[in-house]
Amino acid sequence: MPAYRPEEIEKKWQAHWKAHNTFQAHNHSEKPKYYVLDMFPYPSGAGLHVGHPLGYIASDIVSRYKRLRGFNVLHPMGFDSFGLPAEQYAIQTGQHPALTTDQNIETYIKQLSSLGFSYDWSREIRTSDASYYKWTQWIFLKLFNSWYNLDTNKAEPLTDLTARFAERGSEGIRAAGDEGDRQVFTAGQWQLFTEHQKLAAVHSYRLAYQQDTYVNWCPGLGTVLSNDEVKDGLSERGGYPVERRLMPQWNLRITAYADRLLAGLDTLDWPDAVKEMQRNWIGKSIGAEVTFPVESSELRTENLEIKVYTTRVDTIYGATFLVLAPEHELVDKITTPGQRAAVDEYIAATKRRSERDRMADTKTVSGVFTGAYALNPVNQEPVQIWLADYVLAGYGTGAVMAVPSGDQRDYVFAQHFGLPIPAISDAQQGLDQQADPTKEGRYINSGIINGLTYKEATTKLIAYLEEKGLGRGKVNFRLRDSIFGRQRYWGEPIPIYYKDGTAYGIAESDLPLVLPEINEYKPTETGEPPLGRAQNWLYRNQYPYELSTMPGWAGSSWYYLRYMDPTNEARFVSEEAEQYWGTVDLYMGGAEHATGHLLYARFWYLFLKDLDLVSSNEPFQKLINQGMILGRSNFVYRLNVSLPITEIKIEGPELAKIYPATFFISKDKVIKYQAGDEAVTKEILVFVQNYIADFNNKELGVKIIDPHGTSISDLHVDVMLVENDVLDINAFRKSRHDYRLAEFITEDDGRYLCGWEIEKMSKSKLNVVNPDVLISKYGADALRLYEMFLGPLEQYKPWNTNGISGVSGFLKKLWRLFHPEDGDLAVTDEPATPAELKVLHRAIQKVQEDIERFSFNTSVSLFMITVNELTALKCHKRAILEPLVLLLSPYAPHLAEELWQELGHEPGSISTAGYPEFREEYLVEDNVTYPLAINGKVREQMQFAATATASEIETAVLASDFLARFGEGKSAKKVIVVPGRMVNVVV
């Protein structure tokens, strides 16, 4: 048998798994089920780098382990294949996004398969397939045709609501949403409504509804962006300006589920940090809604009111001004002519910032006075009305009751603009320096609550406001309804058509509503979304469709259910399959999805639960966030000069370009040069002089520049051109035209040493390591083991390609336990010795414990120790090596399959072979070494049988010469024996 050749073994077994559907899961089994899920990947054109498979490897280890433990394991994979990148590429090139997406998916499948993942590829799904998004549209229609009944605390069909309207009108109906948007009518009036009027009355109750909403509008991309897609007022993709704009948008009423989303977190085995992020994002608060009448001599023709929500109604007497969001609906009405220009300018500036940027910026103080005043409802004192971008239109009422003595942000704002900061409690301190939000003490300067405590004041004020009709107690949430529409092409069409301007859902029998072909993928010249370019795209050849498409998170909010029954054409998932697989037992993915995908998926699941379409309470029972693999960046050091040293014309297949000559200095010489080392400085100067002299001989007329005092830039270099920090100079020159004639001042041994730094792995830092390269060099099993070996799964870990060679060496050493000196299989049937059995069963116990607690790095270490010990014992025995292969198979499946077959088993049968049984008796020691002490001071050691009693040990110690040698002639007063630990002789 030749030496271990992973390239041959791995291709062989990957082909076998594919041909035999080795990992296909069945929806009916006598075995217990276990559902392992990886977060839905988006197939980018760049493919995978070594940071991506970290979670996939961990979930695959668990999947393979659970199969060995006798579980029916569902471990699927698919692709979140709608998205903006493919659409942007389509806009630039004219290539259909479907073609780009399919090409990217094929790359992903090839890479994932090369890593030996035990996916059930028969269940692969793609969100851009019409057979899949038919059901995404179907769920949307269910949302569109449902309302949330606060009395039953669940979603119900709209037909139930309209039946109640017909029976007793709108009276007494408690539904999630803004009551102010809803009509009041009797049953008789309802009966007289036209179809259009009935639909208009129902619309504000729907869980999927259309409303004018402030969004992040990006004219350059022609679409609405989520807060995650905007940074510093620019789109993350392309860097185009983004502004806040009021647009009609489809929304999903996730706020109806806020309390249930909070309560459900307590039942989940998720990282505390993720659960806390969701709690903060939902942001439940208990307070009061207070009405401030607008009072201004220039605005007497209209009675206007500003409602504010506050969790500290007890501080209302300290409210010296109001702050509105720049988008607040009353801004235009209350702004005085004298402040109009300043207000318009401020609003225009605010539109260029996303809500996330505005929330995160706690240092900048900005605002503008509207010129208008409101009356504080408890004391009738006038308070100025200001605009500030730290107040958001979508949170609460879009207005803040500013109490500068009790809130630091209000305090800074008041100081900046010279507004009053009165004390309201006798316990407040240091108001000349900062706000004091204390709830201690008793109130002062506070009218009807003077002398009361916090609880007394809060109760009295809410009762007073409710009695006077000036406010009410209220529970509020930071969570906003989800904006659902995107002005893009490459997404699920929203299954809505319009008749006389009213939205209707298309019939479920007409699903899927398939994306039409269009000639361009950018918005129309009149500003409509790209679907506006579709020719004769009408529902039943008569009614225009909605032109927006769904956001990227729509398809990923329920994909885990489709995996259970991916080819079902009659139902999104059969009842039998859903009830069998139930909730996801292990979900692996990044913490960055805490307040996006994970929240939306829980919301959709709760809605489906209300409709009795799913059987569990939550979609994902256990969640693990794998840490990020950090890249090990490399740097080259360029000598910067103020003028070009020479110019070389490069003729290429494209255009002729002119590049200046470039000098790169090796790392150690850079350090010496920057430290003022004269010898290195002279060397650099002479090198440049000689180089220029050579070109001067060619009459290029190049001037010399003294390198003294010039700076040096550290530039990222592709880490694939570097090995052990040594640059492949020739490959570097070939990597870019402008480096083709680069010159290198190397170390004295001729090597060019690069610098290095640990950073986030990304293409921009050129520190992305392609797994394909490592697999071709070391094998997939080595890469799998190395990624697990880097450290605890949840932690950030630096990548260093150099370390994988050690893991590769370990696998070769393991191979030689079966094939000594890379020869023929030499496994014997001799009985195992106690020492060999001890090594094996310690490994069985530890690996099982490690996988159960997801501590994979410690298992890899143990494998190395185990192989070293068995090599030292010269163990080639089946009784030891066969169970060892089973232990290793979740981590290094290709090598394990090969060795399992060589041991005489059916090819591919290792997955169902059964996990080795741990037997504790093999770990019991025959002898125990005891430290022997005189008066607590250890003098030497003695060995006793593991079964020896305390009295037997005491007798043996006193019978020895131990006391004679160390007791200084004293006799023993007593002997203390700590079983298994030590013996202390007291003299």
Side-chain angles (χ1 to χ4, degrees):
M1 182 72 182
Y4 170 51
R5 287 188 168 81
E7 67 277 9
E8 297 176 8
I9 291 172
E10 291 173 0
K11 288 179 181 177
K12 167 187 172 181
W13 288 106
Q14 288 162 14
H16 178 93
W17 297 332
K18 182 177 181 179
H20 293 82
N21 294 319
T22 302
F23 309 114
Q24 186 170 4
H26 300 284
N27 289 351
H28 304 282
S29 175
E30 296 296 322
K31 299 177 180 179
K33 70 92 181 179
Y34 196 82
Y35 187 174
V36 183
L37 183 63
D38 295 310
M39 281 194 182
F40 225 11
Y42 173 79
S44 70
L48 298 173
H49 63 62
V50 294
H52 293 131
L54 180 68
Y56 300 159
I57 296 169
S59 65
D60 194 59
I61 290 171
V62 174
S63 298
R64 290 176 177 274
Y65 166 77
K66 288 292 184 180
R67 291 190 190 96
L68 291 174
R69 301 292 296 179
F71 285 84
N72 180 28
V73 176
L74 174 56
H75 187 35
M77 176 51 70
F79 300 96
D80 192 8
S81 49
F82 277 129
L84 186 57
E87 179 157 336
Q88 286 303 112
Y89 188 74
I91 292 172
Q92 295 162 10
T93 65
Q95 178 171 291
H96 197 287
L99 179 60
T100 307
T101 300
D102 287 344
Q103 291 171 346
N104 294 345
I105 287 175
E106 293 312 307
T107 298
Y108 262 61
I109 291 176
K110 180 180 177 182
Q111 289 186 300
L112 292 169
S113 298
S114 72
L115 281 156
F117 296 135
S118 60
Y119 292 128
D120 180 356
W121 284 108
S122 70
R123 295 174 182 255
E124 180 202 342
I125 57 176
R126 304 179 183 186
T127 57
S128 56
D129 285 349
S131 61
Y132 178 84
Y133 70 69
K134 165 187 176 178
W135 297 106
T136 310
Q137 294 172 334
W138 180 83
I139 295 172
F140 174 86
L141 288 176
K142 294 295 183 186
L143 287 158
F144 180 71
N145 290 316
S146 297
W147 67 295
Y148 198 91
N149 187 342
L150 293 176
D151 290 327
T152 59
N153 200 29
K154 60 182 293 190
E156 297 177 358
L158 275 178
T159 51
D160 294 351
L161 178 65
T162 54
R164 292 176 63 173
F165 284 162
E167 182 181 343
R168 57 180 182 269
S170 61
E171 184 181 357
I173 292 177
R174 298 177 63 248
D178 190 348
E179 296 176 4
D181 293 337
R182 292 174 180 151
Q183 301 177 41
V184 177
F185 49 83
T186 65
Q189 290 172 318
W190 171 262
Q191 299 290 352
L192 296 175
F193 281 174
T194 64
E195 177 188 11
H196 178 80
Q197 288 173 321
K198 287 181 177 179
L199 289 173
V202 164
H203 190 77
S204 58
Y205 291 84
R206 297 183 188 272
L207 290 182
Y209 64 95
Q210 201 174 33
Q211 186 180 57
D212 285 348
T213 306
Y214 278 98
V215 295
N216 300 315
W217 172 250
C218 179
L221 295 176
T223 187
V224 169
L225 300 177
S226 68
N227 284 330
D228 292 336
E229 296 169 315
V230 181
K231 186 171 180 59
D232 300 325
L234 302 174
S235 63
E236 189 176 48
R237 178 167 294 274
Y240 297 104
V242 176
E243 63 183 54
R244 298 289 291 167
R245 180 181 291 186
L246 191 64
M247 297 178 66
Q249 284 292 321
W250 283 97
N251 295 264
L252 298 189
R253 207 179 296 280
I254 188 175
T255 50
Y257 288 84
D259 263 324
R260 289 168 64 185
L261 289 169
L262 274 176
L265 291 172
D266 295 333
T267 69
L268 299 178
D269 184 7
W270 286 17
D272 289 339
V274 174
K275 292 198 284 188
E276 194 59 26
M277 279 191 278
Q278 287 207 359
R279 289 189 183 100
N280 291 337
W281 191 260
I282 296 168
K284 182 176 182 178
S285 59
I286 299 173
E289 188 176 81
V290 184
T291 301
F292 283 72
V294 174
E295 175 70 16
S296 172
S297 58
E298 300 178 57
L299 300 167
R300 288 180 180 172
T301 58
E302 188 175 0
N303 293 323
L304 301 176
E305 295 178 338
I306 296 173
K307 294 183 183 295
V308 303
Y309 176 79
T310 177
T311 58
R312 292 293 304 274
V313 70
D314 58 297
T315 65
I316 191 169
Y317 283 94
T320 56
F321 57 101
L322 296 183
V323 185
L324 307 187
E327 305 91 344
H328 195 285
E329 60 184 4
L330 293 183
V331 171
D332 188 59
K333 292 182 179 180
I334 66 173
T335 300
T336 60
Q339 291 296 110
R340 176 66 62 185
V343 166
D344 288 348
E345 182 181 349
Y346 189 77
I347 291 174
T350 302
K351 286 182 178 179
R352 295 190 289 268
R353 306 185 71 198
S354 72
E355 284 192 354
R356 178 161 292 186
D357 289 341
R358 288 160 60 179
M359 291 169 66
D361 185 3
T362 58
K363 296 180 179 179
T364 305
V365 182
S366 70
V368 63
F369 180 42
T370 65
Y373 292 79
L375 294 179
N376 188 319
V378 293
N379 59 15
Q380 300 303 303
E381 292 187 7
V383 293
Q384 293 183 0
I385 305 174
W386 287 69
L387 306 186
D389 63 4
Y390 73 83
V391 180
L392 306 178
Y395 178 62
T397 63
V400 168
M401 177 185 87
V403 182
S405 70
D407 181 274
Q408 186 61 25
R409 195 157 199 172
D410 296 342
Y411 181 92
V412 172
F413 191 93
Q415 274 205 325
H416 185 81
F417 291 107
L419 300 169
I421 309 175
I424 52 172
S425 168
D426 59 14
Q428 286 180 315
Q429 297 180 0
L431 292 183
D432 57 333
Q433 299 294 323
Q434 61 184 6
D436 183 353
T438 182
K439 295 179 182 178
E440 304 298 324
R442 295 181 181 272
Y443 291 91
I444 59 175
N445 304 322
S446 297
I448 64 172
I449 60 169
N450 276 334
L452 300 184
T453 63
Y454 165 73
K455 287 186 177 180
E456 294 168 342
T458 301
T459 302
K460 184 168 184 177
L461 279 169
I462 290 177
Y464 173 81
L465 292 169
E466 290 179 345
E467 178 189 348
K468 301 294 184 182
L470 299 171
R472 61 191 177 101
K474 187 179 180 182
V475 175
N476 206 36
F477 294 91
R478 182 178 291 111
L479 181 67
R480 300 292 89 202
D481 282 344
S482 306
I483 297 174
F484 197 67
R486 297 290 187 270
Q487 286 63 49
R488 301 175 186 167
Y489 172 74
W490 193 232
E492 300 93 333
I494 294 178
I496 293 291
Y497 69 93
Y498 293 92
K499 176 182 174 183
D500 299 327
T502 298
Y504 289 77
I506 71 173
E508 291 181 7
S509 59
D510 291 328
L511 295 177
L513 172 58
V514 179
L515 270 175
E517 295 293 327
I518 57 177
N519 57 0
E520 284 187 272
Y521 303 103
K522 60 185 180 181
T524 69
E525 289 70 18
T526 56
E528 290 181 317
L531 286 178
R533 298 181 180 276
Q535 298 294 314
N536 300 315
W537 195 49
L538 300 169
Y539 183 56
R540 298 183 176 177
N541 297 314
Q542 189 173 3
Y543 304 110
Y545 284 115
E546 168 64 46
L547 299 181
S548 297
T549 53
M550 298 185 193
W553 55 264
S556 63
S557 291
W558 72 280
Y559 74 108
Y560 52 92
L561 293 167
R562 190 61 177 172
Y563 279 141
M564 299 176 184
D565 196 15
T567 58
N568 193 325
E569 296 181 3
R571 206 171 187 273
F572 77 113
V573 58
S574 70
E575 291 184 50
E576 296 79 11
E578 190 280 324
Q579 289 172 6
Y580 176 73
W581 291 111
T583 190
V584 174
D585 296 286
L586 174 64
Y587 199 19
M588 192 80 69
E592 67 273 14
H593 299 289
T595 57
H597 158 66
L598 286 170
L599 197 61
Y600 297 140
R602 294 182 63 219
F603 159 44
W604 277 42
Y605 192 87
L606 289 173
F607 169 69
L608 294 172
K609 174 74 171 177
D610 287 349
L611 272 54
D612 295 323
L613 295 172
V614 294
S615 56
S616 301
N617 294 317
E618 287 281 346
F620 317 119
Q621 185 54 41
K622 182 171 183 62
L623 173 73
I624 295 179
N625 298 136
Q626 78 272 12
M628 185 183 295
I629 286 186
L630 302 174
R632 190 178 191 274
S633 301
N634 280 114
F635 300 90
V636 290
Y637 299 93
R638 184 184 66 198
L639 180 69
N640 297 324
V641 292
S642 57
L643 295 172
I645 294 175
T646 185
E647 290 186 340
I648 307 300
K649 189 175 183 182
I650 303 294
E651 296 290 346
E654 304 165 359
L655 296 173
K657 295 184 180 181
I658 294 178
Y659 298 106
T662 312
F663 295 90
F664 293 97
I665 307 173
S666 189
K667 173 189 171 184
D668 288 349
K669 289 193 173 177
V670 168
I671 295 172
K672 293 176 182 178
Y673 173 73
Q674 292 177 332
D677 187 301
E678 293 185 8
V680 172
T681 301
K682 183 177 180 181
E683 178 188 356
I684 294 172
L685 178 58
V686 170
F687 185 95
V688 175
Q689 287 174 331
N690 291 340
Y691 179 85
I692 292 175
D694 178 55
F695 280 100
N696 277 336
N697 291 336
K698 297 177 183 177
E699 298 181 351
L700 292 182
V702 183
K703 295 181 180 179
I704 186 169
I705 296 174
D706 190 333
H708 285 283
T710 60
S711 64
I712 291 177
S713 294
D714 51 338
L715 308 176
H716 283 93
V717 61
D718 189 340
V719 294
M720 302 308 290
L721 305 178
V722 182
E723 185 168 357
N724 291 322
D725 295 333
V726 177
L727 179 69
D728 183 334
I729 292 175
N730 290 330
F732 178 77
R733 285 183 174 133
K734 293 176 182 177
S735 66
R736 280 173 47 176
H737 280 301
D738 49 334
Y739 291 157
R740 189 171 294 180
L741 294 180
E743 290 295 322
F744 294 84
I745 301 171
T746 63
E747 303 301 323
D748 294 339
D749 59 6
R751 298 179 306 153
Y752 184 94
L753 290 180
C754 296
W756 63 273
E757 185 177 328
I758 302 300
E759 304 179 283
K760 179 181 178 181
M761 190 173 283
S762 70
K763 289 186 293 183
S764 65
K765 300 181 186 302
L766 303 180
N767 62 358
V768 168
V769 179
N770 188 333
D772 300 351
V773 176
L774 298 179
I775 290 171
S776 66
K777 186 172 183 179
Y778 299 103
D781 285 341
L783 179 58
R784 289 169 62 112
L785 283 164
Y786 183 56
E787 293 218 8
M788 293 298 96
F789 185 59
L790 287 172
L793 179 63
E794 296 90 345
Q795 293 182 9
Y796 280 31
K797 295 167 282 289
W799 178 267
N800 185 349
T801 300
N802 303 334
I804 196 173
S805 59
V807 175
S808 177
F810 152 71
L811 290 174
K812 293 174 183 175
K813 196 168 188 177
L814 171 71
W815 176 264
R816 294 186 188 114
L817 286 176
F818 297 79
H819 299 274
E821 299 181 1
D822 291 333
D824 293 335
L825 184 70
V827 176
T828 72
D829 291 322
E830 297 176 55
T833 66
E836 293 166 340
L837 288 167
K838 179 181 177 181
V839 171
L840 172 65
H841 283 270
R842 183 187 61 197
I844 294 173
Q845 181 187 41
K846 183 71 165 65
V847 172
Q848 179 177 338
E849 291 175 351
D850 285 350
I851 294 180
E852 294 285 0
R853 58 192 177 90
F854 310 101
S855 179
F856 307 107
N857 60 309
T858 50
S859 281
V860 179
S861 299
L862 179 72
F863 286 137
M864 295 177 176
I865 294 169
T866 300
V867 169
N868 285 339
E869 291 180 344
L870 293 177
T871 300
L873 292 168
K874 298 182 179 179
C875 176
H876 306 293
K877 298 171 182 175
R878 178 184 297 273
I880 301 299
L881 298 187
E882 192 166 272
L884 180 62
V885 170
L886 288 169
L887 286 184
L888 187 71
S889 63
Y891 290 81
H894 307 89
L895 177 55
E897 288 274 21
E898 183 70 15
L899 295 173
W900 189 249
Q901 183 184 24
E902 287 190 349
L903 289 168
H905 297 285
E906 188 72 23
S909 64
I910 196 170
S911 295
T912 54
Y915 194 77
E917 181 185 357
F918 167 65
R919 295 178 61 180
E920 190 171 5
E921 62 263 30
Y922 290 126
L923 300 188
V924 176
E925 300 283 353
D926 293 333
N927 295 299
V928 179
T929 300
Y930 281 78
L932 300 187
I934 296 283
N935 291 342
K937 187 173 183 179
V938 175
R939 294 296 187 177
E940 67 174 8
Q941 296 178 334
M942 285 184 69
Q943 204 171 67
F944 301 96
T947 57
T949 64
S951 61
E952 289 172 340
I953 293 172
E954 178 180 343
T955 300
V957 170
L958 294 177
S960 72
D961 64 351
F962 173 71
L963 195 58
R965 288 185 293 118
F966 299 106
E968 298 178 352
K970 298 175 183 178
S971 59
K973 291 183 178 180
K974 63 177 177 178
V975 178
I976 302 171
V977 178
V978 181
R981 299 288 299 276
M982 71 173 295
V983 178
N984 182 33
V985 180
V986 181
V987 299

